[in-house]
Amino acid sequence: AIAAVGQGRLMALYDDLFGQLGQPVAQVLLTRNDLSHRTQYLNACNTFEALLEMGVVPIVNENDTVSLGEIRFGDNDTLSAITAGMVHADYLFLLTDVDCLYTDNPRTNPNAKQVTNVTDIKALRDAVDVSTAGSAVGTGGMATKLIAAELATAAGVTTVITRGSTPQKVIDIVEYFSNPDTQTDSPLPASVLCTRFIAKTRPMIDRKWWILHGMYCAGTIYVDAGAVVALAKFKKSLFAAGIKRVEGSFSSNQSVRVVYEPEREAHADTAHLNSAEERVLNAVTPMRSEVIEIGHGLVNYTSAEVKRIRGCHSSEFEAILGYCDSDNVIHRGNMVVTIPDAILDEVFVTMSSKSKIRAEQRAPVPVCSPNLSAI
């Protein structure tokens, strides 16, 4: 209710400020639930495009009046990144109370170093401390800005973190990096000091980006190692036979996380084996114990239906459900793989190691057991 009162006053303030420059503005209120529907997402994109073509500046905010807590954007950094991706912006500026990102809090650590150019956000997270809270007037801290930068750069948008109290810097930074004579690897002048996140040279296509970032994730599907290789390595669809369990409640055509839990699967596989048999099986056991996200996808069945058909062949769907809308749970065209190649190669069997594993499996084992033939 308070947000409903504040929206009118906020827009009046923007209208007065832009009115002094003769610049018309428009209010756009978004919710993550709106963007979860493909048609509404495209309508929002078309609205932005039409406003910009008319020379109108859209003022975007979250519609707090109708947003549900569990499916909110939650902070303006994420909302701005998703909006930047929708309009295919060249730059996204995330304004804060410091000139740039530091390896530690510069107020408490005089040895903190400036970070001015970022190409690998995952590596950056290991190198910097982003635990500080946001400013007194913001809804997110530096951690949310890194998330926003990751979303925007995936869509091909260069993202900049800099001080918000000097808005002229926005123009100066754009002009500086637009100059073909600028040496991007040289130290930045104080007038354009910032942290710049380089946009991906091969941005994610619109539909995939929408599935990954525009949609609310309604549940989680746990899959086995074979399904991981099929999805991530060979870009196949997800079939029920590779599903181990389901978490959450979701409907068909909603977005879900697809994950792999190595430790759970390894324990389940080796519980009945002796040490000699376990030595052989360890050749194909993943090396990590934490849950690994494989990607996000749109499901063809509800959570209740997936629980009933998990582990089954598609030919059994008719007998189990009484119908078969699709022979797969997630079609490959509706699947976005997020697991890095390095982790995929580290955790799962690669083509180059298969021969070695087969050789170890054929090696004589000192303890005879009837279970060995099943390995």
Side-chain angles (χ1 to χ4, degrees), residues 2-13 27-29 61-65:
I2 296 175
V5 174
Q7 285 291 348
R9 296 186 177 184
L10 180 64
M11 277 308 299
L13 178 61
Q27 183 181 42
V28 178
L29 298 177
N61 210 339
E62 183 163 12
N63 194 346
D64 296 313
T65 304

Side-chain angles (χ1 to χ4, degrees), residues 30 93 131 192 231 258 326 330:
L30 296 176
F93 281 83
S131 59
V192 294
L231 289 169
V258 179
S326 174
I330 301 177

Side-chain angles (χ1 to χ4, degrees), residues 71-151:
I71 55 175
R72 297 183 68 238
F73 291 107
D75 61 86
N76 287 331
D77 297 324
T78 302
L79 176 59
S80 66
I82 291 177
T83 303
M86 292 171 68
V87 301
H88 305 293
D90 296 316
Y91 282 91
L92 167 64
F93 281 83
L94 301 174
L95 303 180
T96 182
D97 56 358
V98 292
D99 288 310
C100 63
L101 193 62
Y102 289 82
T103 54
D104 201 354
N105 190 337
R107 299 184 183 91
T108 58
N109 183 359
N111 296 320
K113 297 180 180 179
Q114 297 172 348
V115 179
T116 57
N117 204 59
V118 179
T119 56
D120 188 343
I121 298 178
K122 288 183 174 62
L124 177 68
R125 285 196 176 96
D126 298 330
V128 302
D129 177 17
V130 293
S131 59
T132 55
S135 65
V137 294
T139 56
M142 200 59 76
T144 65
K145 287 175 172 53
L146 290 189
I147 294 173
E150 195 166 23
L151 302 188

Side-chain angles (χ1 to χ4, degrees), residues 144-342:
T144 65
K145 287 175 172 53
L146 290 189
I147 294 173
E150 195 166 23
L151 302 188
T153 53
V157 181
T158 297
T159 304
V160 175
I161 292 177
T162 193
R163 188 181 296 273
S165 60
T166 53
Q168 177 60 35
K169 285 185 68 174
V170 172
I171 298 174
D172 294 339
I173 289 170
V174 172
E175 291 179 347
Y176 179 80
F177 287 109
S178 298
N179 187 341
D181 296 329
T182 297
Q183 300 293 327
T184 56
D185 55 348
S186 60
L188 294 178
S191 60
V192 294
L193 184 58
C194 66
T195 298
R196 186 173 65 125
F197 298 83
I198 308 301
K200 300 293 183 183
T201 54
R202 298 178 61 185
M204 196 175 294
I205 61 174
D206 180 70
R207 179 175 174 81
K208 299 278 188 177
W209 192 86
W210 166 70
I211 292 173
L212 188 59
H213 302 305
M215 297 195 71
Y216 165 64
C217 190
T220 304
I221 292 179
Y222 291 79
V223 299
D224 61 25
V228 173
V229 175
L231 289 169
K233 204 77 174 177
F234 301 108
K235 313 303 180 188
K236 301 292 186 181
S237 299
L238 175 61
F239 293 92
I243 296 176
K244 299 184 71 67
R245 62 191 179 97
V246 178
E247 284 184 358
S249 177
F250 50 83
S251 303
S252 60
N253 293 316
Q254 280 196 294
S255 175
V256 299
R257 290 176 70 226
V258 179
V259 302
Y260 177 76
E261 197 170 21
E263 188 174 21
R264 177 182 290 268
E265 181 165 303
H267 286 172
D269 287 344
T270 61
H272 65 287
L273 302 177
N274 60 43
S275 58
E277 294 167 331
E278 197 168 337
R279 174 179 65 79
V280 177
L281 189 59
N282 280 342
V284 292
T285 299
M287 299 166 59
R288 296 190 174 205
S289 59
E290 72 271 19
V291 172
I292 302 171
E293 180 179 284
I294 309 305
H296 290 220
L298 304 184
V299 288
N300 294 321
Y301 293 93
T302 67
S303 54
E305 292 167 337
V306 175
K307 288 177 182 178
R308 295 175 63 187
I309 61 176
R310 65 184 177 89
C312 299
H313 192 272
S314 56
S315 61
E316 303 174 72
F317 290 2
E318 188 79 33
I320 297 172
L321 301 176
Y323 55 88
C324 179
D325 287 342
S326 174
D327 64 349
N328 56 71
V329 176
I330 301 177
H331 187 270
R332 61 184 179 182
N334 291 326
M335 181 73 196
V336 184
V337 175
T338 59
I339 181 173
D341 291 338

